[in-house]
Amino acid sequence: MAKRIRRVGSIKNELLKKSREAALAAVQIFNNPNISFKSETYVVLMIIAWTYLLHAYFRDQQVEYRYCKQNGKRREFDKTKYGAYKYWEIERCLNDQKSPIDKYTANNLRFMIGLRHEIEHQMTSRIDDLLSARFQACGLNYNEYIKKLFGEGYGIEKHLSFSLQFSTISTEQKELLEECRGLPANIQGYIEKFDAELSDEEFSNQHYAYRILFIAKTANRKGQADRVIEFVKSDSTLAETVNKEYVVMKETEKKKYLPNQI
């Protein structure tokens, strides 16, 4: 029994090691300015990272994640033509009742799975910027879950630095992003169909797509220059032009009553 426990732990640790390596490689490649094949590589590597993570979790929980058939009291395992076991793919892991993944994170992963199916056999273009919010959410979700399931020490944020940008986004670039010029018809069709099947709550959840509004800010006093969050009034010009996916916080005053009205 002790030998079996050591073996289970050894396999789990190896799965976690490979999972973290795949996730780190995905982010590092995506942040590399010299690589143009970013999105395709990121999607494939992050799906591998998530698959190994879930395999490690099922291994730890003693859930059988190999394909098999029950033949009486015996289990017959499915194998490849070369004799290797067939392990669950990520979608099968997500569908299992014992999956630890919440529905919003699962939505993000299902989107990534479908996207991989669309891009793995053909060249794509212009999806790095258009889908960056979903890529960002996938990475943040991964880091959250590996720490949640296996401990803070497994987090990968300490191995990654913030990705700096050497240019601002011009008006022309913004319009190009909004109009999705150059996006392959199959990718655009897939995105529209997937998003249409989500509820408003699911679509706007940060675990599905992590959206942040960046603004250029000039500060008058020391200490203000490092702030990256700014509150705007709901009736301001800026608030009116903000995309509807963002939330504008409005402060309201409660109605006051006279003593004889209470």
Side-chain angles (χ1 to χ4, degrees), residues 54 57-58 92-102 106:
L54 289 172
Y57 172 77
F58 288 139
R92 175 64 181 82
C93 293
L94 293 173
N95 291 338
D96 193 78
Q97 292 182 347
K98 295 183 179 180
S99 169
I101 309 302
D102 68 90

Side-chain angles (χ1 to χ4, degrees), residues 22-253:
L24 284 168
V27 177
Q28 289 168 348
I29 289 172
F30 193 84
N31 287 339
N32 191 330
N34 296 318
I35 296 177
S36 59
F37 203 62
K38 298 171 182 284
S39 296
E40 296 85 349
T41 306
Y42 181 85
V43 170
V44 171
L45 286 175
M46 283 307 297
I47 287 178
I48 291 173
W50 274 100
T51 303
Y52 287 174
L53 174 64
L54 289 172
H55 284 181
Y57 172 77
F58 288 139
R59 188 89 187 180
D60 191 50
Q61 299 297 310
Q62 298 184 9
V63 175
E64 181 57 73
Y65 57 98
R66 293 173 292 182
Y67 280 103
C68 62
K69 301 180 182 69
Q70 197 69 33
N71 186 5
K73 294 183 178 180
R74 294 184 58 189
R75 284 184 296 189
E76 296 180 355
F77 292 95
D78 293 346
K79 296 185 179 181
T80 66
K81 63 180 180 180
Y82 298 108
Y85 289 111
K86 290 185 178 181
Y87 293 93
W88 290 353
E89 70 278 9
I90 188 171
E91 198 160 18
R92 175 64 181 82
C93 293
L94 293 173
N95 291 338
D96 193 78
Q97 292 182 347
K98 295 183 179 180
S99 169
I101 309 302
D102 68 90
K103 71 173 182 178
Y104 304 110
T105 300
N107 283 339
N108 176 271
L109 286 171
R110 294 184 197 284
F111 175 84
M112 299 284 280
I113 294 166
L115 182 64
R116 182 195 61 181
H117 294 334
E118 290 297 323
I119 68 176
E120 62 185 353
H121 296 303
Q122 54 193 306
M123 186 178 69
T124 57
S125 60
R126 295 201 54 75
I127 66 174
D128 294 350
D129 295 320
L130 292 168
L131 299 179
S132 59
R134 306 181 201 213
F135 296 159
Q136 180 70 72
C138 184
L140 291 174
N141 294 342
Y142 173 86
N143 195 47
E144 176 185 331
Y145 266 98
I146 196 170
K147 292 192 294 185
K148 178 181 177 181
L149 299 177
F150 298 102
E152 292 290 325
Y154 284 94
I156 62 173
E157 71 274 13
K158 57 182 175 291
H159 300 291
L160 299 170
S161 60
F162 188 80
S163 181
L164 299 177
Q165 184 168 313
F166 288 93
S167 63
T168 58
I169 298 178
S170 66
T171 303
E172 291 77 12
Q173 287 174 311
K174 182 176 72 69
E175 290 174 351
L176 283 173
L177 293 180
E178 290 174 348
E179 294 174 8
C180 302
R181 294 179 185 175
L183 191 65
N186 64 307
I187 300 295
Q188 187 168 349
Y190 166 71
I191 294 171
E192 291 174 355
K193 183 177 184 299
F194 193 97
D195 287 349
E197 293 175 352
L198 297 177
S199 66
D200 291 341
E201 178 197 5
E202 290 173 323
F203 178 80
S204 61
N205 190 276
Q206 293 287 65
H207 285 281
Y208 176 62
Y210 192 81
R211 307 172 183 92
I212 299 178
L213 175 63
F214 286 96
I215 61 171
K217 176 88 162 40
T218 56
N220 297 324
R221 292 188 293 117
K222 292 181 180 179
Q224 290 184 335
D226 292 331
R227 294 180 182 176
V228 294
I229 298 175
E230 179 158 332
F231 292 94
V232 297
K233 293 183 178 180
S234 59
D235 56 353
S236 67
T237 304
L238 177 59
E240 292 175 356
T241 58
V242 170
N243 194 300
K244 65 181 180 180
E245 280 83 5
Y246 297 99
V247 177
V248 177
M249 298 185 68
K250 181 178 180 181
E251 193 173 289
T252 59
E253 187 176 356

